Amino acid sequence: MTKKNILLLPGDGVGPEIMAEAIKVIDIFNEVNLCDVSYDYADIGGVAIDNYGNPYPDETSIKARKADCILLGAVGTKKHENNDNKLKPESGLLALRKSLDLYINVRPVFLFEALLESSTIKPEIIKNLDIVIIRELIGGVYFGEPRGFKDGTNRAGFNTMIYSEKEVSRISKYAFNLSKKRLSRVTSVDKANVLEASQVWRETVSKLHAADYPEIELDHMYVDNAAMQLIKNPKQFDVLLTENLFGDILSDEASMLTGSIGMLPSASLSDINGVYEPIHGSAPDIAGQGIVNPIAMILSVAMMFEYSLNNIGISNIIKTAIENVLRNGIFTKDISHKKDFVSTSAMGDAIIKEIKKDV
Ligand code: IPM
Ligand code: MG
């Protein structure tokens, strides 16, 4: 078995609490020799600003390049939220994504049957829900230049939404190829009725589809309509392909179909690298209370085993364990529709107990 070295970036807020549960899970598989994973740690986000004066310090960047893959908790602090952009915790995450060329963001949105009652949406609308959002992660308005402020009596802020054919093409290829392993259906989401960046997006997706993927069913949808359709009839979607900002917004919306934002994992991929993190943020309001749901983080570990460590077996064991725990009515506060709920570490322990039955 080849040894794999993963870099752990717990980050801010609830990040360290959910990371602790993720480590407990990986340790089990190490103990029974189903994998051979070693860890290293580094700082990112607010904690890195405090320790290094930089949300993505060189120490972290060097380790990130060397690691086989990366697990990340969350970034974002109240303390640094009014800092200049370069010294905001979120800039650390964006720098990590950009510097490793993580242009693919995979956000699976699926419902565990036991959480049918936890969602605010009617059960029949979400039963058996299983969609994947493919979000372009290092382009668009998040990174477009020019950006900045115009100072004066009527101060203004501005950003640039820009997409080139090459950027659209490479993320679209990923979505089309992924869809072949699913229902061969892609919905590309844009705002081509208003935005030039979206017009290039739509043209490029269509051209690529006609040339290389004619067998796949492709639809285009405006983002405002997509936001509405996600609530009205989410099961019409299989692979939802979209740009950076729209993907950020639609994935938070979609998470509520699954009961809680605490349920959704993600993989951010380049052609060679992978960073795995829950889609939720650092939740400073509940940090340190031991109540955060660790499932999105533990599902991110499952994605890491599947995508970077080529071990679909472990990935499936983790997912089955989570399914069983939820079926047994063990819920953290965010997904509990009853009065009682368990702590972060008790949820981690319950998942480990289920894993142990399988290994
Ligand atoms: C996400 C987060 C990040 C983003 C923030 C923390 C910069 O919301 O991963 O969805 O906007 O991409
Ligand atoms: Mg987000």
Side-chain angles (χ1 to χ4, degrees), residues 220-277:
H220 299 279
M221 197 179 272
Y222 298 137
V223 63
D224 45 353
N225 185 26
M228 187 265 279
Q229 296 293 339
L230 261 177
I231 299 295
K232 188 178 173 201
N233 177 18
K235 282 185 267 184
Q236 70 185 284
F237 298 114
D238 187 47
V239 173
L240 209 152
L241 161 67
T242 194
E243 66 90 55
N244 203 346
L245 179 64
F246 300 160
D248 179 48
I249 298 168
L250 293 178
S251 57
D252 267 32
E253 183 191 1
S255 76
M256 287 317 294
L257 303 168
T258 71
S260 164
I261 195 164
M263 294 298 297
L264 285 208
S266 81
S268 304
L269 309 169
S270 70
D271 295 328
I272 50 171
N273 251 311
V275 173
Y276 300 85
E277 56 172 315

Side-chain angles (χ1 to χ4, degrees), residues 174-297:
Y174 187 87
F176 284 129
N177 286 331
L178 175 80
S179 83
K180 287 187 192 167
K181 298 182 206 145
R182 298 176 49 94
L183 302 178
S184 291
R185 217 166 65 218
V186 174
T187 308
S188 172
V189 173
D190 61 41
K191 188 70 187 171
N193 50 347
V194 177
L195 303 172
E196 283 81 356
S198 279
Q199 287 153 22
V200 169
W201 180 279
R202 190 175 282 220
E203 282 161 27
T204 309
V205 173
S206 297
K207 262 192 227 155
L208 181 71
H209 173 250
D212 296 338
Y213 302 95
E215 74 282 12
I216 289 169
E217 195 187 318
L218 170 70
D219 283 316
H220 299 279
M221 197 179 272
Y222 298 137
V223 63
D224 45 353
N225 185 26
M228 187 265 279
Q229 296 293 339
L230 261 177
I231 299 295
K232 188 178 173 201
N233 177 18
K235 282 185 267 184
Q236 70 185 284
F237 298 114
D238 187 47
V239 173
L240 209 152
L241 161 67
T242 194
E243 66 90 55
N244 203 346
L245 179 64
F246 300 160
D248 179 48
I249 298 168
L250 293 178
S251 57
D252 267 32
E253 183 191 1
S255 76
M256 287 317 294
L257 303 168
T258 71
S260 164
I261 195 164
M263 294 298 297
L264 285 208
S266 81
S268 304
L269 309 169
S270 70
D271 295 328
I272 50 171
N273 251 311
V275 173
Y276 300 85
E277 56 172 315
I279 79 151
H280 64 72
S282 58
D285 51 322
I286 59 162
Q289 298 177 30
I291 57 169
V292 60
N293 183 352
I295 292 181
M297 183 82 237

Side-chain angles (χ1 to χ4, degrees), residues 74-94:
V75 299
T77 56
K78 284 253 176 289
K79 179 176 166 191
H80 304 98
E81 75 184 357
N82 296 319
N83 285 2
D84 282 350
N85 255 356
K86 283 203 171 90
L87 288 178
K88 280 195 201 301
E90 289 77 1
S91 300
L93 178 57
L94 298 179

